[in-house]
Amino acid sequence: MLLSPGSTRWPHLIDDAAVFQAMLDVEVGWLRVQARLGLVTEDDVAVVLAHADATDFDLAPVDAAVEAGGNPVIPMLAALRSSIGTDTPAATAVHRGLTSQDVLDSALMLLAHRSLEIVIDRLGAAAHATARLADTHRDTLLVARTLSQPALPTTFGAKAAGWLTALDGARAEASAAARALPVQCGGAAGTLAAIDALAPGRAHEAADLLAEELGLAPAGRPWHTDRGPVTRLGDVLVRTADALGKIAGDIVLMSRPELGELSEPAAEGRGGSSTLPQKRNPVLSILVRSAAIVAPHLGAALHSAAALAADERPDGAWHAEWRPLAGLLGSVPVAAAQLAVVLDGLEVHADAMRRNVDAAGPALVAERLLRVVPTLPDGDELGPKLRSALRAGAGRDEVWALLRTALPTDAAPDGVPDAAIDDLLSPAAYLGVADALVDRALEGHATTGQGGRP
């Protein structure tokens, strides 16, 4: 945990105890299926259930024994059967018909469901906070930057609306992924042979019953070497990390003192430096970025493993999934929670945003000026002069004077030419459909609770 800042938010989400408990849950679920098929009694189920609490087990010897079998299911079963009583009917019924991969894959899907529930909840909180920012700051002028340089005027509301759409899209994908997490039930080679022997003609029914007992989706068929469920889960978590990382990156950049447009919410002890007492680091956004940087590589590892899943049971490729999947399941919920905290209390410095807009000068509306100039009376001569002035960083007064030469006083009475020039140079008059984009994002968010995707 020392090297995973924020993991204390949910310290047992994906640790050894959580994995062990999830495996026990699968075994109990399978006993219940057997009871529904008439293969064991409810008393047998009750016996196993009474011994299926991970907190009652010493996990140290289990951990030590994992290497011998290559996976944690084997020592888990030994510990469970020993706790129940090895020669009892209940102990005999535990796990029969299944294989280790059935149990661990299903257990990981259970853990994934719990992880996604947190992701969905925290993305919702982040989105609601962002919706408030978008609405509140729909008229707050901001420099839009492309390739790191000032480009055009926009509003902070429009920027936040972009964040909102991304968060709502990620939440919708995570919700769909949570509903689709499948059970694994195939037996030793994916043919359900042992299950069919136990309950002739009811093997598929048994697999579906296990999904029902565990609250997972029916798989249709075993996926021992078709690792689509894992890679799709990984892809959703990576895309979520992408959305979180982009927003966090914007906040980090905009909180630089030379811009001073945003600040993370202040909290006792947060954002300090070990040597520089004056610093207020955007530490939560930095941690979110760190998760987003790592996530694609974890997802890539899942795809590499999927491509190498040989024969009917993988020889190492399955094992290679565990650590990257655990990394995603543990880090993305934390990142979503951290960003939700940031967005809920984000300090928006509208005065600094306006200062930076003014500092960009007429170049910020260069696109508009160069489009309008050819229509002015002396546009043909003015165009080259204007381009040269903008390249040289001319200020508002100089550009105003250039434009004034193309608008003689008699072009319109009562000072209208001056007002027209003021309008041409006004960043607030060249915002496109920024306000409408805010409305769209807010409408989508309000209508579905998640918003639409671009």
Side-chain angles (χ1 to χ4, degrees):
M1 289 187 180
L2 291 175
L3 298 179
S4 301
S7 57
T8 51
R9 292 175 181 272
W10 297 284
H12 305 300
L13 184 60
I14 194 69
D15 66 1
D16 283 356
V19 174
F20 195 86
Q21 185 62 61
M23 292 189 296
L24 291 175
D25 292 343
V26 175
E27 295 293 356
V28 171
W30 184 239
L31 257 292
R32 287 180 168 139
V33 170
Q34 292 187 64
R36 293 172 70 175
L37 295 174
L39 302 174
V40 299
T41 68
E42 290 296 337
D43 288 342
D44 293 326
V45 176
V47 168
V48 176
L49 182 60
H51 293 268
D53 187 337
T55 61
D56 295 334
F57 291 83
D58 179 4
L59 296 188
V62 176
D63 287 342
V66 171
E67 183 182 23
N71 74 71
V73 178
I74 296 171
M76 178 275 295
L77 287 170
L80 177 59
R81 286 174 174 144
S82 176
S83 178
I84 295 169
T86 306
D87 296 328
T88 62
T92 301
V94 165
H95 193 69
R96 66 178 176 183
L98 300 182
T99 194
S100 295
Q101 192 170 349
D102 292 335
V103 175
L104 188 54
D105 278 349
S106 295
L108 288 172
M109 292 299 105
L110 289 178
L111 294 175
H113 197 282
R114 296 165 192 166
S115 179
L116 286 173
E117 284 180 339
I118 297 171
V119 169
I120 292 163
D121 178 73
R122 293 298 81 202
L123 285 175
H128 292 325
T130 306
R132 292 195 301 270
L133 290 170
D135 194 30
T136 300
H137 293 282
R138 61 171 64 241
D139 297 321
T140 301
L141 285 178
L142 176 71
V143 174
R145 301 174 177 94
T146 63
L147 305 183
S148 80
Q149 304 299 304
L152 291 174
T154 185
T155 66
F156 182 62
K159 191 175 191 73
W163 295 351
L164 175 60
T165 302
L167 291 170
D168 281 339
R171 187 169 186 264
E173 288 192 24
S175 298
R179 293 191 296 270
L181 293 170
V183 75
Q184 177 71 280
C185 186
T191 62
L192 293 85
I195 300 172
D196 188 58
L198 286 171
R202 304 183 73 182
H204 285 300
E205 179 188 355
D208 290 346
L209 288 174
L210 180 58
E212 183 180 310
E213 289 289 344
L214 298 177
L216 297 173
R221 64 183 303 278
W223 42 279
H224 289 155
T225 54
D226 176 8
R227 307 308 287 172
V230 174
T231 55
R232 285 191 289 273
L233 169 61
D235 289 347
V236 167
L237 292 167
V238 171
R239 284 197 291 274
T240 298
D242 293 343
L244 298 172
K246 186 277 186 286
I247 298 170
D250 281 348
I251 293 170
V252 169
L253 288 172
M254 295 171 71
S255 66
R256 289 174 180 247
E258 52 268 36
L259 294 180
E261 295 169 339
L262 297 175
S263 296
E264 281 195 359
E268 183 66 29
R270 184 194 298 155
S273 166
S274 63
T275 57
L276 302 172
Q278 80 281 6
K279 291 189 72 181
R280 180 178 163 189
N281 298 316
V283 65
L284 292 182
S285 297
I286 288 168
L287 293 176
V288 173
R289 288 198 75 205
S290 74
I293 290 168
V294 174
H297 302 281
L298 299 177
L302 296 178
H303 281 278
S304 294
L308 297 174
D311 300 322
E312 280 61 58
R313 294 280 301 285
D315 54 347
W318 174 52
H319 309 71
E321 292 176 353
W322 304 339
R323 279 175 290 180
L325 182 57
L328 287 169
L329 292 176
S331 64
V332 177
V334 170
Q338 289 167 335
L339 191 64
V341 170
V342 172
L343 292 169
D344 187 53
L346 189 66
E347 297 177 14
V348 180
H349 306 301
D351 54 343
M353 292 180 179
R354 181 68 209 214
R355 182 182 65 242
N356 292 333
V357 166
D358 293 341
L364 203 59
V365 290
E367 180 182 76
R368 185 188 196 195
L369 297 178
L370 294 173
R371 179 174 55 83
V372 170
V373 159
T375 68
L376 300 179
D378 296 327
D380 290 342
E381 296 182 7
L382 182 61
K385 294 179 182 177
L386 180 59
R387 287 179 182 274
S388 178
L390 291 172
R391 288 195 189 100
R396 185 182 188 282
D397 290 346
E398 183 178 347
V399 173
W400 196 98
L402 277 173
L403 293 171
R404 186 68 183 78
T405 63
L407 289 170
T409 305
D410 58 0
D414 303 324
V416 173
D418 290 356
I421 297 173
D422 289 340
D423 180 76
L424 284 175
L425 292 173
S426 171
Y430 196 61
L431 295 172
V433 295
D435 197 53
L437 292 173
V438 172
D439 287 337
R440 277 195 165 194
L442 294 176
E443 288 166 7
H445 182 72
T447 300
T448 66
Q450 297 173 353
R453 296 185 62 192

